[in-house]
Amino acid sequence: MGNEKYRVHEVAKDFGLPTKTITEILTKYVAAPKNHMQVLTERELSIIFDYLTAHNQVSGIQAIYADLEKKQESAPAQSAAPQQGQRPQQQAQRPQQQGNQRPAPQQGQRPQQGQRSPQQQGQRPQQGNRPQQQAQRPAPQQAAPAAPVAQPATRVPQKKIVDTRKGGDVNLAKYDERLEDLGGQRGERMQQRGGKEKIRNTKDRKGAPLSNKRRQDEAEKMRKLQLEIAKKAPVKVQIPDEISVGELASRMKKTGAEVVKCLMKNGIMASLSQLIDFDTAAIIAEELGCVVEKEVVVTIEERLIDTHEDREEDLKPRAPVVVVMGHVDHGKTSLLDTIRNASVAAGEAGGITQHIGAYQVQVNGKPITFLDTPGHEAFTSMRARGAMITDIAILMVAADDGIMPQTIESISHAKAANIPVIVAINKIDKPTADPDRVLQQLTNYGLVPEDWGGETICCKVSAKKNIGIDNLLEMVTLTAEMAELKAIPDRAAQGTVIEARLDKGRGPVATLLVQNGTLKQGDIIIAGTAVGRVRTMMDYKGNRLSEAGPSVPVEIAGLSEAPTAGSPFFAVADERMARELVEQRKAEERAKANAPVQKVSLEDLFSQIKAGERKELAIIVKADVQGSVEAVKASLEKLSNDEVNVRVIHGAVGAINESDVMLATSSNAIIVGFNVRPDAAARDSATRQNVDMRMYRVIYDAIDEIESAMKGMLAPKYREVVLGHAEVRQTYKVSGVGTVAGCYVQDGKIVRACSVRLVRDGIVIHEGSLASLQRFKDAAKEVASGYECGMTIEKFNDIKEGDIIEGFTMEEIPR
């Protein structure tokens, strides 16, 4: 039957019997089937076949062949007749056909294995008879190949079976199964089921394992053949700059052990997970008979961002980008204010520029882009950034103050960026002004004025009184002309984020300086971990722009988040790939943040051990612009000392919100707000959670306040105060107490509650505290020098004569 499902109604149909007859047979000998769709087991089918065989017997084997000849003659006619009309005839012929297919087991013979006829149930051969039957079984099979009959039309046995044994009894029942497989029953069934049954292999069942074996042999041959081909054709291996040993093994289709063995031969001890460089991997691969190719990994960044070199003929002149640098309150913003006739300086808190601004002004019909950097020490990174993206630096020096620390720093930044410096000596209208002193000081830092034979242009100006400003601007345009500044307007825009902040109405807003190409409204831009489409674009005056060329500062909205100030931005074509790159960058940042602290080397081992003991002050910084966040963060982290580690755990732009308060609660941090206020929910939450929030407008206040708070946090320091020394003259062992030392106080005094050190031959043997101090039989509070006393040391009994007991206490040092 194979694995085919044979149902009750199908059996009935194939035998041309009513389903009821089959159901009755099953009910009588096995169990009543649930319904006509029940799938029959081998045993149930055997019983049905046995029953039908027993009840439809033929006279002998000759009848089968006589029937066959008739069938052959009638075959064409039969196939032409409609099936439906056959059924009554079939039912009449079935008993005979059944006999044809399955000769009845004769008296005393064993029916087909597993199929006992209902009459023969009681006659089953005993266990002991079985070997005899098995011995008998081959005889008819050996006789099988004799004298074939003429080819029948239906699938019936093609071989005439001649019994060659002396005994007249032939066990024909053994052929039941074979005849059933090959007989017309299945052919008929296929006709009646509309020819849907698959054509089956007509070989007997003993042939099946042979075909399986043949299949296995063929598969084995194929495998050997493939291996031979693989040996002849060397494997091509693509190897990147770095590859793990395990990955190399899988690419070469070798086992890890083979590769490790080969590495060992070459004197390299490496585990499967260890990374090896390209050269090593190439040597190993070649030794193992592979062809090596260098794998060139093209990152998303390389595919996405256009970095081709500009051609000389495409370059067009662009406006210079000028940065104004200098010390706090030396007049940078006032100068810009005068240049663009707008009042910005008055709005700055404490006269300090807290934001980095970018403006473009027309001077004699030529545009100049100005960047205003803060002068306070906290804004070093912003000044460095300002210097890197500009072409000319204007160094503001107040004529009355002279050169100050941030002036020197500004000079260093300009020199590092290799940009020309124009010195503007401001506040010359003040009575205390001394421009010559400034010129003198400049020479100390390698800036020699033109008047003194150097190359540095120096202009004396007064931003307030508008003196000398035109001359300064003329010098700027002259210097820019000398530099021949050029860019390509018709390419994808790229540049730098000058500033970014979170606007309540517009979301993340970024000030960008386009350095090459043209930025258009609707462009997809990627800046650091921010990505988005340029929704709106405005100049510094608030006018809407549809595009911005090289050297134009613009404020854009539409990014997913406020990017980090100073990060480069690129206009790209594929938004999906840009988002993918941003996710990749974020994942890298997360990995960096979660990465363990740098590996310990001998040099910094000691400092890291100390770091394990120090306290930590966690701070959350929120500011109105990204640049301020960085500046406040850097200034506060500078306050860390040996005992208190100041760590800014979170810095962001925008108002203080509830999630900041939750972070502060969980990490035990304080919140510092710089030019921002908490929203109502945050204020309530902070009150409930008892979170300390500090708001500042000027950076000095923030630093001073946190510094004083830290002083309160510093752990108290102690010093050791030696009270006196006593010499052990005699020792006594007292049960229940331990060793009592009879001592003579040499100097100072010994106090009952003091700590003691036992010194023997100048070596400290033990340090602990005094358990008891007595004079004669009374407990004493203290024993002065020149007196004798008895003492016991807590949990210590190894006291010997001649030891010195030193008494001391720890005293707190007031800060």
PDB file of all heavy atoms in Angstrom, residues 144-166:
ATOM      1  N   ALA A 144       9.237 -18.728 -10.019  1.00  0.00           N
ATOM      2  CA  ALA A 144       8.541 -17.589 -10.624  1.00  0.00           C
ATOM      3  C   ALA A 144       8.960 -17.213 -12.034  1.00  0.00           C
ATOM      4  O   ALA A 144       8.105 -16.989 -12.870  1.00  0.00           O
ATOM      5  CB  ALA A 144       8.664 -16.383  -9.715  1.00  0.00           C
ATOM      6  N   PRO A 145      10.238 -17.136 -12.385  1.00  0.00           N
ATOM      7  CA  PRO A 145      10.573 -16.585 -13.700  1.00  0.00           C
ATOM      8  C   PRO A 145      10.239 -17.461 -14.903  1.00  0.00           C
ATOM      9  O   PRO A 145      10.614 -17.153 -16.004  1.00  0.00           O
ATOM     10  CB  PRO A 145      12.074 -16.355 -13.621  1.00  0.00           C
ATOM     11  CG  PRO A 145      12.423 -16.502 -12.206  1.00  0.00           C
ATOM     12  CD  PRO A 145      11.424 -17.415 -11.635  1.00  0.00           C
ATOM     13  N   ALA A 146       9.590 -18.594 -14.726  1.00  0.00           N
ATOM     14  CA  ALA A 146       9.358 -19.487 -15.872  1.00  0.00           C
ATOM     15  C   ALA A 146       8.299 -18.939 -16.819  1.00  0.00           C
ATOM     16  O   ALA A 146       7.402 -18.226 -16.407  1.00  0.00           O
ATOM     17  CB  ALA A 146       8.949 -20.847 -15.363  1.00  0.00           C
ATOM     18  N   ALA A 147       8.408 -19.364 -18.091  1.00  0.00           N
ATOM     19  CA  ALA A 147       7.444 -19.173 -19.187  1.00  0.00           C
ATOM     20  C   ALA A 147       6.501 -17.995 -19.082  1.00  0.00           C
ATOM     21  O   ALA A 147       5.451 -18.096 -18.469  1.00  0.00           O
ATOM     22  CB  ALA A 147       6.631 -20.468 -19.318  1.00  0.00           C
ATOM     23  N   PRO A 148       6.827 -16.846 -19.636  1.00  0.00           N
ATOM     24  CA  PRO A 148       5.922 -15.693 -19.585  1.00  0.00           C
ATOM     25  C   PRO A 148       4.694 -15.895 -20.453  1.00  0.00           C
ATOM     26  O   PRO A 148       4.732 -16.592 -21.453  1.00  0.00           O
ATOM     27  CB  PRO A 148       6.761 -14.538 -20.119  1.00  0.00           C
ATOM     28  CG  PRO A 148       7.821 -15.193 -20.927  1.00  0.00           C
ATOM     29  CD  PRO A 148       8.050 -16.548 -20.391  1.00  0.00           C
ATOM     30  N   VAL A 149       3.628 -15.235 -20.035  1.00  0.00           N
ATOM     31  CA  VAL A 149       2.356 -15.297 -20.777  1.00  0.00           C
ATOM     32  C   VAL A 149       2.366 -14.116 -21.745  1.00  0.00           C
ATOM     33  O   VAL A 149       3.108 -13.155 -21.560  1.00  0.00           O
ATOM     34  CB  VAL A 149       1.180 -15.133 -19.767  1.00  0.00           C
ATOM     35  CG1 VAL A 149      -0.163 -15.338 -20.476  1.00  0.00           C
ATOM     36  CG2 VAL A 149       1.336 -16.123 -18.643  1.00  0.00           C
ATOM     37  N   ALA A 150       1.452 -14.178 -22.725  1.00  0.00           N
ATOM     38  CA  ALA A 150       1.320 -13.036 -23.650  1.00  0.00           C
ATOM     39  C   ALA A 150       1.018 -11.767 -22.877  1.00  0.00           C
ATOM     40  O   ALA A 150       0.283 -11.824 -21.886  1.00  0.00           O
ATOM     41  CB  ALA A 150       0.191 -13.336 -24.626  1.00  0.00           C
ATOM     42  N   GLN A 151       1.572 -10.631 -23.321  1.00  0.00           N
ATOM     43  CA  GLN A 151       1.452  -9.328 -22.609  1.00  0.00           C
ATOM     44  C   GLN A 151      -0.030  -8.964 -22.413  1.00  0.00           C
ATOM     45  O   GLN A 151      -0.757  -8.783 -23.367  1.00  0.00           O
ATOM     46  CB  GLN A 151       2.141  -8.255 -23.450  1.00  0.00           C
ATOM     47  CG  GLN A 151       2.131  -6.896 -22.817  1.00  0.00           C
ATOM     48  CD  GLN A 151       3.149  -6.842 -21.687  1.00  0.00           C
ATOM     49  OE1 GLN A 151       4.061  -7.636 -21.625  1.00  0.00           O
ATOM     50  NE2 GLN A 151       2.958  -5.914 -20.789  1.00  0.00           N
ATOM     51  N   PRO A 152      -0.516  -8.849 -21.141  1.00  0.00           N
ATOM     52  CA  PRO A 152      -1.928  -8.479 -20.942  1.00  0.00           C
ATOM     53  C   PRO A 152      -2.120  -6.971 -21.091  1.00  0.00           C
ATOM     54  O   PRO A 152      -1.202  -6.208 -20.944  1.00  0.00           O
ATOM     55  CB  PRO A 152      -2.191  -8.896 -19.506  1.00  0.00           C
ATOM     56  CG  PRO A 152      -0.870  -8.856 -18.857  1.00  0.00           C
ATOM     57  CD  PRO A 152       0.164  -9.066 -19.904  1.00  0.00           C
ATOM     58  N   ALA A 153      -3.408  -6.574 -21.330  1.00  0.00           N
ATOM     59  CA  ALA A 153      -3.716  -5.147 -21.499  1.00  0.00           C
ATOM     60  C   ALA A 153      -3.664  -4.431 -20.173  1.00  0.00           C
ATOM     61  O   ALA A 153      -3.198  -3.327 -20.075  1.00  0.00           O
ATOM     62  CB  ALA A 153      -5.091  -4.990 -22.111  1.00  0.00           C
ATOM     63  N   THR A 154      -4.177  -5.088 -19.110  1.00  0.00           N
ATOM     64  CA  THR A 154      -4.155  -4.433 -17.799  1.00  0.00           C
ATOM     65  C   THR A 154      -2.923  -4.867 -17.039  1.00  0.00           C
ATOM     66  O   THR A 154      -2.232  -5.795 -17.472  1.00  0.00           O
ATOM     67  CB  THR A 154      -5.399  -4.819 -16.984  1.00  0.00           C
ATOM     68  OG1 THR A 154      -5.576  -6.214 -17.111  1.00  0.00           O
ATOM     69  CG2 THR A 154      -6.619  -4.066 -17.451  1.00  0.00           C
ATOM     70  N   ARG A 155      -2.675  -4.219 -15.874  1.00  0.00           N
ATOM     71  CA  ARG A 155      -1.469  -4.541 -15.097  1.00  0.00           C
ATOM     72  C   ARG A 155      -1.707  -5.812 -14.311  1.00  0.00           C
ATOM     73  O   ARG A 155      -2.169  -5.754 -13.174  1.00  0.00           O
ATOM     74  CB  ARG A 155      -1.121  -3.381 -14.174  1.00  0.00           C
ATOM     75  CG  ARG A 155      -0.542  -2.218 -14.917  1.00  0.00           C
ATOM     76  CD  ARG A 155      -0.644  -0.964 -14.144  1.00  0.00           C
ATOM     77  NE  ARG A 155       0.072  -1.080 -12.881  1.00  0.00           N
ATOM     78  CZ  ARG A 155      -0.190  -0.334 -11.817  1.00  0.00           C
ATOM     79  NH1 ARG A 155      -1.135   0.561 -11.864  1.00  0.00           N
ATOM     80  NH2 ARG A 155       0.510  -0.474 -10.718  1.00  0.00           N
ATOM     81  N   VAL A 156      -1.462  -6.983 -14.940  1.00  0.00           N
ATOM     82  CA  VAL A 156      -1.649  -8.298 -14.296  1.00  0.00           C
ATOM     83  C   VAL A 156      -0.334  -9.029 -14.332  1.00  0.00           C
ATOM     84  O   VAL A 156       0.581  -8.601 -15.044  1.00  0.00           O
ATOM     85  CB  VAL A 156      -2.755  -9.114 -15.008  1.00  0.00           C
ATOM     86  CG1 VAL A 156      -4.123  -8.648 -14.603  1.00  0.00           C
ATOM     87  CG2 VAL A 156      -2.584  -9.100 -16.497  1.00  0.00           C
ATOM     88  N   PRO A 157      -0.153 -10.121 -13.577  1.00  0.00           N
ATOM     89  CA  PRO A 157       1.139 -10.799 -13.571  1.00  0.00           C
ATOM     90  C   PRO A 157       1.536 -11.222 -14.984  1.00  0.00           C
ATOM     91  O   PRO A 157       0.699 -11.702 -15.737  1.00  0.00           O
ATOM     92  CB  PRO A 157       0.935 -11.993 -12.649  1.00  0.00           C
ATOM     93  CG  PRO A 157      -0.501 -12.067 -12.375  1.00  0.00           C
ATOM     94  CD  PRO A 157      -1.116 -10.778 -12.729  1.00  0.00           C
ATOM     95  N   GLN A 158       2.783 -11.009 -15.309  1.00  0.00           N
ATOM     96  CA  GLN A 158       3.250 -11.299 -16.652  1.00  0.00           C
ATOM     97  C   GLN A 158       3.994 -12.639 -16.694  1.00  0.00           C
ATOM     98  O   GLN A 158       4.554 -13.007 -17.696  1.00  0.00           O
ATOM     99  CB  GLN A 158       4.179 -10.179 -17.113  1.00  0.00           C
ATOM    100  CG  GLN A 158       3.459  -8.863 -17.197  1.00  0.00           C
ATOM    101  CD  GLN A 158       4.429  -7.735 -17.444  1.00  0.00           C
ATOM    102  OE1 GLN A 158       5.564  -7.999 -17.806  1.00  0.00           O
ATOM    103  NE2 GLN A 158       3.969  -6.511 -17.290  1.00  0.00           N
ATOM    104  N   LYS A 159       4.099 -13.283 -15.574  1.00  0.00           N
ATOM    105  CA  LYS A 159       4.889 -14.516 -15.531  1.00  0.00           C
ATOM    106  C   LYS A 159       3.978 -15.654 -15.101  1.00  0.00           C
ATOM    107  O   LYS A 159       3.226 -15.500 -14.131  1.00  0.00           O
ATOM    108  CB  LYS A 159       6.041 -14.352 -14.539  1.00  0.00           C
ATOM    109  CG  LYS A 159       6.982 -13.247 -14.958  1.00  0.00           C
ATOM    110  CD  LYS A 159       8.115 -13.145 -14.002  1.00  0.00           C
ATOM    111  CE  LYS A 159       9.069 -12.070 -14.492  1.00  0.00           C
ATOM    112  NZ  LYS A 159       9.114 -10.878 -13.712  1.00  0.00           N
ATOM    113  N   LYS A 160       4.054 -16.767 -15.806  1.00  0.00           N
ATOM    114  CA  LYS A 160       3.246 -17.948 -15.431  1.00  0.00           C
ATOM    115  C   LYS A 160       4.014 -18.715 -14.373  1.00  0.00           C
ATOM    116  O   LYS A 160       5.193 -18.972 -14.516  1.00  0.00           O
ATOM    117  CB  LYS A 160       3.016 -18.822 -16.658  1.00  0.00           C
ATOM    118  CG  LYS A 160       2.008 -19.912 -16.419  1.00  0.00           C
ATOM    119  CD  LYS A 160       1.611 -20.569 -17.727  1.00  0.00           C
ATOM    120  CE  LYS A 160       0.545 -21.625 -17.495  1.00  0.00           C
ATOM    121  NZ  LYS A 160       0.118 -22.240 -18.747  1.00  0.00           N
ATOM    122  N   ILE A 161       3.333 -19.065 -13.308  1.00  0.00           N
ATOM    123  CA  ILE A 161       4.024 -19.738 -12.207  1.00  0.00           C
ATOM    124  C   ILE A 161       3.818 -21.232 -12.374  1.00  0.00           C
ATOM    125  O   ILE A 161       2.679 -21.703 -12.424  1.00  0.00           O
ATOM    126  CB  ILE A 161       3.501 -19.259 -10.857  1.00  0.00           C
ATOM    127  CG1 ILE A 161       3.776 -17.761 -10.762  1.00  0.00           C
ATOM    128  CG2 ILE A 161       4.122 -20.009  -9.702  1.00  0.00           C
ATOM    129  CD1 ILE A 161       2.898 -17.067  -9.797  1.00  0.00           C
ATOM    130  N   VAL A 162       4.915 -21.986 -12.486  1.00  0.00           N
ATOM    131  CA  VAL A 162       4.839 -23.450 -12.622  1.00  0.00           C
ATOM    132  C   VAL A 162       5.428 -24.060 -11.370  1.00  0.00           C
ATOM    133  O   VAL A 162       6.553 -23.727 -10.988  1.00  0.00           O
ATOM    134  CB  VAL A 162       5.612 -23.922 -13.878  1.00  0.00           C
ATOM    135  CG1 VAL A 162       5.554 -25.423 -14.001  1.00  0.00           C
ATOM    136  CG2 VAL A 162       5.065 -23.261 -15.102  1.00  0.00           C
ATOM    137  N   ASP A 163       4.690 -24.899 -10.745  1.00  0.00           N
ATOM    138  CA  ASP A 163       5.162 -25.534  -9.513  1.00  0.00           C
ATOM    139  C   ASP A 163       6.029 -26.717  -9.895  1.00  0.00           C
ATOM    140  O   ASP A 163       5.583 -27.625 -10.612  1.00  0.00           O
ATOM    141  CB  ASP A 163       3.954 -25.978  -8.693  1.00  0.00           C
ATOM    142  CG  ASP A 163       4.382 -26.554  -7.367  1.00  0.00           C
ATOM    143  OD1 ASP A 163       5.544 -26.312  -6.976  1.00  0.00           O
ATOM    144  OD2 ASP A 163       3.561 -27.225  -6.714  1.00  0.00           O
ATOM    145  N   THR A 164       7.273 -26.751  -9.467  1.00  0.00           N
ATOM    146  CA  THR A 164       8.195 -27.846  -9.834  1.00  0.00           C
ATOM    147  C   THR A 164       8.359 -28.851  -8.701  1.00  0.00           C
ATOM    148  O   THR A 164       9.185 -29.733  -8.770  1.00  0.00           O
ATOM    149  CB  THR A 164       9.572 -27.262 -10.184  1.00  0.00           C
ATOM    150  OG1 THR A 164      10.019 -26.506  -9.075  1.00  0.00           O
ATOM    151  CG2 THR A 164       9.501 -26.372 -11.406  1.00  0.00           C
ATOM    152  N   ARG A 165       7.614 -28.630  -7.637  1.00  0.00           N
ATOM    153  CA  ARG A 165       7.795 -29.556  -6.511  1.00  0.00           C
ATOM    154  C   ARG A 165       6.975 -30.825  -6.721  1.00  0.00           C
ATOM    155  O   ARG A 165       5.989 -30.822  -7.452  1.00  0.00           O
ATOM    156  CB  ARG A 165       7.369 -28.876  -5.221  1.00  0.00           C
ATOM    157  CG  ARG A 165       8.327 -27.747  -4.822  1.00  0.00           C
ATOM    158  CD  ARG A 165       7.838 -27.040  -3.603  1.00  0.00           C
ATOM    159  NE  ARG A 165       6.501 -26.491  -3.873  1.00  0.00           N
ATOM    160  CZ  ARG A 165       5.729 -25.935  -2.960  1.00  0.00           C
ATOM    161  NH1 ARG A 165       6.145 -25.872  -1.721  1.00  0.00           N
ATOM    162  NH2 ARG A 165       4.543 -25.454  -3.268  1.00  0.00           N
ATOM    163  N   LYS A 166       7.390 -31.880  -6.046  1.00  0.00           N
ATOM    164  CA  LYS A 166       6.685 -33.152  -6.161  1.00  0.00           C
ATOM    165  C   LYS A 166       5.295 -33.022  -5.568  1.00  0.00           C
ATOM    166  O   LYS A 166       4.320 -33.459  -6.114  1.00  0.00           O
ATOM    167  CB  LYS A 166       7.476 -34.251  -5.434  1.00  0.00           C
ATOM    168  CG  LYS A 166       8.860 -34.511  -6.036  1.00  0.00           C
ATOM    169  CD  LYS A 166       8.757 -35.582  -7.092  1.00  0.00           C
ATOM    170  CE  LYS A 166      10.029 -35.694  -7.915  1.00  0.00           C
ATOM    171  NZ  LYS A 166      11.197 -36.198  -7.194  1.00  0.00           N
TER     172      LYS A 166
END
